[in-house]
């Protein structure tokens, strides 16, 4: 998908060339911004590795409480996973529409992606509220602290992505698909797909492993 | 990982070298299959956790590769090799962080004797399997 950006920028530059003469800076800037964002994502990946390590180290430290097998409700987690996976796909469709300069379709797919992401967060918040109400809040044991930290860190990232998506949709409506909005949509696309990859780790390490015990 | 192959089948409406709808649909179908299998295996409890756990972890890793290949398209564009370099370096760091932490915590826990703790903390430490 990264190759789309230079091409998009080239189209933009060609337009500018016609109007203003050569202007190749946009081309380089867009690609460099996306690379820089990728480097940030890699540092975020290391943050998640540390949180995963903490979770794995503390996964048996229940402070003498019996484990709650209902905590790992697999059909519920499957619904969360479906929301996030389909939203990853619909964001991909939005990026295809960006490549075709179809702003109406970009907005449609981004809107669907946003709703799916919001459903995921809704399901997760509901899960957290139930756990706290049952007395299994983050203060009940080291294990629950690690659980809320890991799943919550991912949830915070998704929430940040949703806020970013709303802002970008507003900006795209206002300014149209310019080289700048395209670069930003590309960065959010990396962020969104990256969070889906982290979620694979979460449902495997936390929920599938938890439901086995 | 041959990332190049995905460029070959161009959609009728797209230029050659363009990421088409087919790339995303392929990735999505593979991801759905690779999500459904581990959930089905664990929900049906087809084997003991000793066998199931490594299987589920391998399938999870496979799904991550599918997402990298079909959704992120890291090798495309002029900065493709930088994306991959950054990813590989991160892979090394993540491996060190994860394996190092788990190894150290396991050894620490194993070498702690119950009498080293007062009765209040003893129980909680004993329930730690690692």
């Amino acid at each position: 998908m990264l190759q789309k950006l230079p091409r998009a920028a080239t189209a933009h530059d060609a337009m500018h060339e016609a109007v203003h003469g050569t202007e190749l800076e946009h081309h380089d800037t867009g690609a460099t911004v996306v690379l820089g964002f990728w480097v940030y994502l890699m540092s975020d990946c290391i943050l998640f590795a540390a949180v995963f390590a903490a979770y794995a180290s503390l996964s048996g430290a229940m402070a003498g409480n019996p484990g709650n097998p209902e905590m790992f409700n697999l059909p519920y987690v499957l619904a969360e996973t479906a929301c996030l996976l389909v939203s990853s796909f619909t964001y991909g469709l939005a990026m295809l529409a960006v490549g075709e300069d179809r702003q109406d379709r970009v907005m449609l797919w981004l809107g669907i992606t946003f709703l799916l992401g919001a459903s995921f967060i809704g399901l997760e918040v509901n899960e957290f509220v139930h756990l706290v109400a049952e007395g299994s809040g983050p203060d009940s044991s080291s294990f629950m602290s690690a659980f809320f930290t890991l799943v919550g860190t991912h949830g915070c990232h998704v929430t940040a992505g949703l806020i970013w998506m709303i802002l970008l949709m507003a900006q795209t409506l206002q300014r149209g698909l310019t080289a700048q909005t395209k670069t930003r949509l590309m960065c959010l696309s990396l962020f969104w797909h990256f969070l889906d990859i982290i979620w694979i780790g979460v449902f495997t390490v936390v929920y599938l492993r938890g439901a086995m015990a | 990982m041959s990332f190049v192959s995905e460029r070959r089948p161009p959609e009728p409406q797209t230029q050659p070298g363009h990421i088409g709808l087919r790339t995303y649909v392929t990735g999505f179908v593979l991801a759905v299959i690779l999500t459904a299998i581990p959930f089905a295996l664990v929900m049906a409890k087809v084997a003991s956790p000793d066998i199931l756990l490594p299987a589920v972890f391998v399938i999870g890793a496979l799904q991550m590769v599918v997402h990298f290949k079909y959704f992120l398209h890291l090798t495309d564009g002029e900065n493709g090799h930088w994306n991959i370099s950054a990813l590989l370096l991160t892979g090394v760091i993540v491996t060190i962080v994860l394996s190092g932490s788990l190894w150290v915590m396991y050894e620490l826990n194993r070498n702690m004797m119950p009498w080293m703790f007062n009765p209040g903390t003893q129980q909680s430490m004993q329930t730690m399997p690692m």
Side-chain angles (χ1 to χ4, degrees):
Chain A
M1 206 194 280
L2 286 179
Q3 48 79 255
K4 197 166 291 156
L5 195 85
R7 180 173 292 112
T10 311
H12 177 85
D13 290 336
M15 200 175 71
H16 270 249
E17 260 175 62
V19 186
H20 303 292
T22 30
E23 195 183 321
L24 283 163
E25 272 169 348
H26 278 280
H27 174 80
D28 292 320
T29 314
T32 309
V33 167
V34 174
L35 174 63
F37 191 75
W38 179 248
V39 173
Y40 151 70
L41 281 182
M42 291 299 93
S43 73
D44 218 20
C45 195
I46 295 166
L47 168 93
F48 273 108
V51 180
F52 269 106
Y55 179 82
S57 301
L58 294 170
S59 60
M62 306 273 205
N65 297 325
N68 178 5
E70 286 177 21
M71 205 181 119
F72 306 108
N73 181 351
L74 288 188
Y76 194 85
V77 178
L78 198 55
E80 289 179 291
T81 307
C83 284
L84 218 49
L85 181 56
V86 175
S87 83
S88 227
F89 178 63
T90 54
Y91 202 112
L93 297 180
M95 286 315 287
L96 285 181
V98 168
E100 293 162 3
D101 274 311
R102 292 285 305 270
Q103 194 183 327
D104 51 338
R105 284 202 204 162
V106 173
M107 297 304 290
L108 172 72
W109 289 121
L110 281 184
I112 295 173
T113 309
F114 180 87
L115 290 179
L116 287 164
S119 313
F120 171 83
I121 288 298
L123 287 169
E124 191 159 87
V125 167
N126 181 48
E127 179 190 1
F128 282 6
V129 167
H130 275 268
L131 283 173
V132 173
E134 288 161 12
S136 306
D139 56 341
S140 58
S141 67
S142 297
F143 166 68
M144 288 312 295
S145 300
F147 170 84
F148 274 91
T149 306
L150 174 55
V151 183
T153 303
H154 178 268
C156 284
H157 276 76
V158 176
T159 310
L162 287 174
I163 295 168
W164 188 4
M165 207 177 291
I166 281 286
L167 294 176
L168 266 186
M169 283 168 80
Q171 207 169 57
T172 308
L173 268 185
Q174 213 173 29
R175 302 182 188 176
L177 289 170
T178 64
Q180 201 179 36
T181 47
K182 281 178 177 175
T183 304
R184 290 172 182 175
L185 286 168
M186 182 69 217
C187 286
L188 179 56
S189 136
L190 291 180
F191 188 68
W192 202 253
H193 293 311
F194 168 77
L195 287 180
D196 200 16
I197 293 177
I198 296 294
W199 180 252
I200 299 170
V202 173
F203 79 65
T204 306
V205 171
V206 177
Y207 294 99
L208 290 177
R209 181 165 167 265
M212 273 179 220
Chain B
M1 290 186 282
S2 62
F3 287 82
V4 194
S5 60
E6 72 196 51
R7 295 184 181 189
R8 233 174 283 142
E11 288 289 299
Q13 75 274 19
T14 55
Q15 305 92 335
H18 209 103
I19 301 293
L21 182 62
R22 183 174 293 177
T23 313
Y24 285 103
V25 173
T26 311
F28 181 67
V29 169
L30 284 175
V32 167
I33 294 169
L34 289 172
T35 303
I37 293 173
F39 272 90
L41 289 179
V42 175
M43 282 158 110
K45 291 190 166 60
V46 289
S48 73
D50 294 340
I51 304 162
L52 219 47
L53 193 62
V56 164
F57 273 53
V58 167
I59 298 169
L62 269 179
Q63 196 187 340
M64 286 183 181
V65 172
V66 165
H67 279 238
F68 274 115
K69 179 170 157 60
Y70 292 97
F71 290 161
L72 282 165
H73 318 298
L74 291 176
T75 48
D76 293 313
E78 56 198 291
N79 290 325
H81 60 292
W82 287 114
N83 290 326
I84 298 299
S85 315
L87 181 64
L88 290 177
L89 175 63
T90 308
V92 171
I93 297 173
V94 166
T95 309
I96 294 170
V97 167
L98 280 177
S99 59
S101 302
L102 291 176
W103 180 27
V104 166
M105 292 310 286
Y106 174 80
E107 290 296 326
L108 270 178
N109 198 48
R110 204 177 55 136
N111 292 321
M112 294 281 188
M113 289 287 121
W115 47 261
M116 295 168 94
F117 303 97
N118 62 48
T121 57
Q122 192 175 321
Q123 193 191 13
S124 66
M125 291 306 289
Q126 275 178 337
T127 52
M128 279 175 92
M130 292 186 163

